[in-house]
């Protein structure tokens, strides 16, 4: 699935977010196993965390810290040069709020910061949960650009119930009442 | 793709982790400790709670028993009741605040578990040291106590606070998702901390003149604290990360 987009569709409660959390290793499956495969080598979700960036609900930045301080944390955890922080703040249009505490952010600003935190280490796979739900038109444009760039680098998984987001993926996985129902290419 | 297979695959080692005590690991430890210091500086929640408890307890003890000049064992006991519960109050927030603010999964996704433990341990140690630094001199003054061998008192308090920080960090992570987690930490940590507490009591009482020697107690306390920190480094991943099939 490298160099491609996969859209995970399903109604509320079908397990889209749960699936993304399983892929990140934040949840353990009750049956089966999850493995990431990269050109013949397989990794567990925990091993693959350095390859993955995720924007998920319940995975929030620190409210008491500024946007810059949150990104500095990511840089320290991921072993990244902190000079890239300024580039990413500009990219997600948060450079004007770089030194404001995150608790003052709107929901759209907070989502943009989470996107920057997920992309700072240039992951091979980007997992997005309902990426456009909180964004204005400018924000949707940003998501379009980010996804297009990510597809050139690797894989994008988008979980959504917004039909406008279907275009993000060449492949669709539809979740039903009993798990994965259909797959389309 | 922008990067070759070898650069991506080698980025993920056989264990997929950053090895403890390497440069990258220390960077993560310092980042976690610094983050907690910054947040605590801006909110002052844990330190105010602990100091308020300690000061109220000191006041009540002073009013009820007055001077403890001739009661070294009782003095040591009262001091350690105050320090233990003040410590539990500050330690209980270390991980509950991460779960409540929904930042715990961010840490799980990005930081090494052993680095999370050691960074949190260092922050908790700093917090408990501050609490002890304020509480102990006040206690000595309010209770009109004379310390016969001050280095025994300093080592006993320092080592015990370090042991409490290590045990509290582990237990705090285990209890972070429980419902009644604040009171639970004292209950859950006490059996683990009891041997160190007993040694700290003995050494503290000796420093007040109850015994001629505290070396055995201090040796035990130091070894126990070292073992607690090592156990935390080795076992923390099991309580922090999602187990894998």
């Amino acid at each position: 699935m490298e160099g491609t987009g996969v859209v995970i569709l399903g109604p509320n409660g079908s397990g889209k977010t749960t699936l993304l959390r399983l892929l990140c290793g934040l949840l353990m499956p009750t049956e089966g196993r999850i493995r990431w495969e990269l050109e013949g080598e397989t990794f567990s979700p925990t091993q693959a965390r350095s390859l993955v960036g995720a924007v998920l609900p319940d995975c929030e930045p620190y409210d008491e810290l500024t946007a810059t301080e949150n990104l500095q944390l990511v840089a320290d955890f991921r072993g990244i040069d902190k000079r890239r922080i300024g580039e990413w703040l500009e990219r997600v249009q948060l450079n004007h709020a770089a030194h404001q505490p995150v608790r003052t952010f709107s929901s759209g600003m907070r989502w943009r910061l989470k996107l920057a935190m997920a992309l700072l280490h240039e992951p091979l796979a980007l997992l997005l949960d309902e990426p456009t739900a909180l964004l204005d038109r400018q924000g949707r444009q940003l998501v379009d650009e980010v996804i297009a760039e990510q597809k050139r680098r690797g894989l994008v998984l988008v979980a959504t119930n917004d039909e406008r987001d279907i275009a993000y993926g060449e492949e669709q996985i539809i979740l039903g009442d009993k798990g994965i129902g259909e797959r389309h290419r | 793709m922008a990067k070759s297979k070898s650069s991506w695959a080698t980025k993920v080692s056989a264990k997929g982790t950053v090895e403890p005590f390497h440069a990258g690991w220390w960077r993560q430890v310092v980042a976690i400790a610094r983050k907690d210091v910054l947040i605590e500086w801006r909110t002052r929640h844990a330190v105010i709670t602990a100091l308020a408890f300690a000061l109220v307890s000191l006041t009540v003890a002073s009013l009820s028993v007055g001077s403890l000049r001739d009661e070294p064992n009782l003095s040591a006991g009262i001091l350690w009741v105050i320090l233990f519960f003040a410590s539990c109050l500050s330690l209980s927030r270390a991980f509950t605040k991460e779960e409540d603010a929904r930042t715990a999964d961010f840490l799980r996704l990005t930081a090494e578990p052993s680095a999370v433990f050691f960074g949190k341990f260092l922050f908790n140690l700093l917090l408990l040291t501050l609490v002890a630094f304020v509480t102990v001199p006040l206690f000595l003054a309010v209770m009109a106590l004379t310390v016969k061998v001050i280095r025994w008192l300093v080592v006993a308090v320092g080592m015990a606070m370090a042991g409490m920080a290590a045990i509290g960090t582990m237990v705090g992570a285990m209890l972070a998702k429980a419902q009644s987690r604040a009171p639970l930490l004292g209950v859950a940590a006490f059996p683990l901390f009891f041997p160190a507490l007993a040694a700290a009591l003995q050494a503290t009482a000796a420093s007040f003149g109850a015994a001629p020697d505290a070396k055995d107690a201090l040796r035990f306390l130091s070894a126990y604290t070292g073992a607690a920190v090592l156990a935390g480094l080795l076992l923390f991943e099991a309580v922090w990360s999602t187990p894998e099939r």
Side-chain angles (χ1 to χ4, degrees):
Chain A
M1 286 192 178
E2 292 171 342
T4 194
V6 178
V7 175
I8 303 166
L9 291 161
N12 292 340
S14 57
K16 302 186 296 298
T17 302
T18 301
L19 180 57
L20 294 186
R21 290 175 64 82
L22 284 166
L23 292 171
C24 291
L26 293 174
L27 284 176
M28 188 178 75
T30 51
E31 285 181 40
R33 299 168 87 185
I34 295 174
R35 287 292 179 264
W36 287 82
E37 186 179 305
L38 173 62
E39 296 186 15
E41 290 192 48
T42 58
F43 305 103
S44 68
T46 302
Q47 290 172 324
R49 279 179 188 165
S50 61
L51 311 177
V52 174
V55 183
L56 304 172
D58 295 338
C59 190
E60 300 293 324
Y62 288 91
D63 278 348
E64 301 90 347
L65 301 182
T66 65
T68 301
E69 287 165 345
N70 272 284
L71 287 169
Q72 283 171 345
L73 259 186
V74 176
D76 285 330
F77 292 160
R78 300 280 196 189
I80 293 164
D81 189 342
K82 290 185 182 179
R83 284 174 291 188
R84 287 164 59 179
I85 290 173
E87 295 166 20
W88 271 103
L89 283 170
E90 196 164 332
R91 184 93 194 272
V92 298
Q93 298 148 24
L94 284 179
N95 40 342
H96 65 286
H99 301 294
Q100 287 176 20
V102 172
R103 69 171 183 276
T104 64
F105 281 19
S106 67
S107 51
M109 290 169 71
R110 178 184 287 267
W111 197 91
R112 290 165 193 260
L113 175 60
K114 287 167 67 171
L115 184 66
M117 291 168 73
L119 288 169
L120 193 65
H121 64 298
E122 295 182 353
L124 187 60
L126 178 64
L127 279 55
L128 300 173
D129 194 346
E130 312 265 4
T132 56
L134 298 169
L135 298 177
D136 53 20
R137 195 171 68 172
Q138 232 178 350
R140 280 195 75 95
Q141 213 172 340
L142 171 65
V143 172
D144 293 346
E145 288 168 13
V146 162
I147 289 178
E149 184 179 316
Q150 181 63 32
K151 282 187 194 178
R152 286 193 290 275
R153 178 168 50 227
L155 171 67
V156 176
L157 267 95
V158 176
T160 184
N161 55 16
D162 187 339
E163 288 178 0
R164 291 177 295 175
D165 295 341
I166 288 176
Y168 289 140
E170 294 78 24
E171 181 162 341
Q172 295 157 28
I173 297 173
I174 301 171
L175 299 184
D177 291 341
K178 295 176 183 175
I180 294 176
E182 304 163 33
R183 293 178 72 151
H184 299 281
R185 285 183 188 268
Chain B
M1 287 178 45
K3 294 189 180 185
S4 67
K5 169 203 172 183
S6 62
S7 68
W8 279 113
T10 51
K11 211 177 165 186
V12 182
S13 69
K15 289 199 284 187
T17 59
V18 173
E19 296 295 329
F21 307 114
H22 286 201
W25 186 83
W26 282 113
R27 188 177 172 188
Q28 293 188 25
V29 167
V30 169
I32 288 164
R34 184 173 57 221
K35 179 260 299 176
D36 280 347
V37 168
L38 207 50
I39 291 173
E40 183 61 27
W41 176 252
R42 291 175 184 169
T43 61
R44 294 180 178 79
H45 186 280
V47 72
I48 286 176
T49 306
L51 285 178
F53 172 85
L55 293 175
V56 167
S57 307
L58 260 176
T59 306
V60 170
S62 166
L63 289 172
S64 61
V65 301
S67 169
L68 288 174
R69 198 191 310 268
D70 300 319
E71 303 279 358
N73 288 308
L74 182 58
S75 308
I78 294 174
L79 175 61
W80 277 106
V81 166
I82 295 172
L83 286 177
F84 177 76
F85 286 105
S87 301
C88 287
L89 279 174
S90 24
L91 291 172
S92 64
R93 289 269 307 159
F95 285 98
T96 57
K97 66 184 179 187
E98 303 277 2
E99 295 291 344
D100 290 346
R102 300 182 299 167
T103 53
D105 281 345
F106 161 70
L107 282 183
R108 288 188 181 95
L109 278 178
T110 52
E112 283 303 311
S114 58
V116 173
F117 169 79
F118 207 69
K120 289 279 185 186
F121 161 72
L122 288 178
F123 168 71
N124 285 332
L125 179 59
L126 181 66
L127 207 56
L128 297 190
T129 301
L130 181 62
V131 170
F133 192 74
V134 172
T135 305
V136 174
L138 270 176
F139 180 82
L140 297 176
V142 162
M143 299 299 184
L145 286 166
T146 307
V147 182
K148 302 284 191 293
V149 187
I150 196 161
R151 68 178 182 278
W152 292 352
L153 179 63
V154 169
V155 173
V157 172
M159 281 292 131
M161 290 290 103
M164 188 68 194
I167 292 167
T169 302
M170 271 291 284
V171 174
M174 290 163 64
L175 297 177
K177 291 189 176 181
Q179 280 199 326
S180 307
R181 50 213 178 183
L184 267 182
L185 187 121
V187 172
F190 182 72
L192 295 170
F193 188 60
F194 178 75
L197 183 60
L201 268 167
Q202 199 178 338
T204 303
S207 76
F208 293 155
D213 190 16
K215 290 197 182 81
D216 287 343
L218 290 175
R219 275 195 205 108
F220 175 83
L221 188 52
S222 303
Y224 194 86
T225 297
V229 175
L230 189 61
L233 280 169
L234 294 173
L235 300 174
F236 185 76
E237 184 168 0
V239 306
W240 176 244
S241 301
T242 311
E244 294 185 353
R245 284 175 174 268

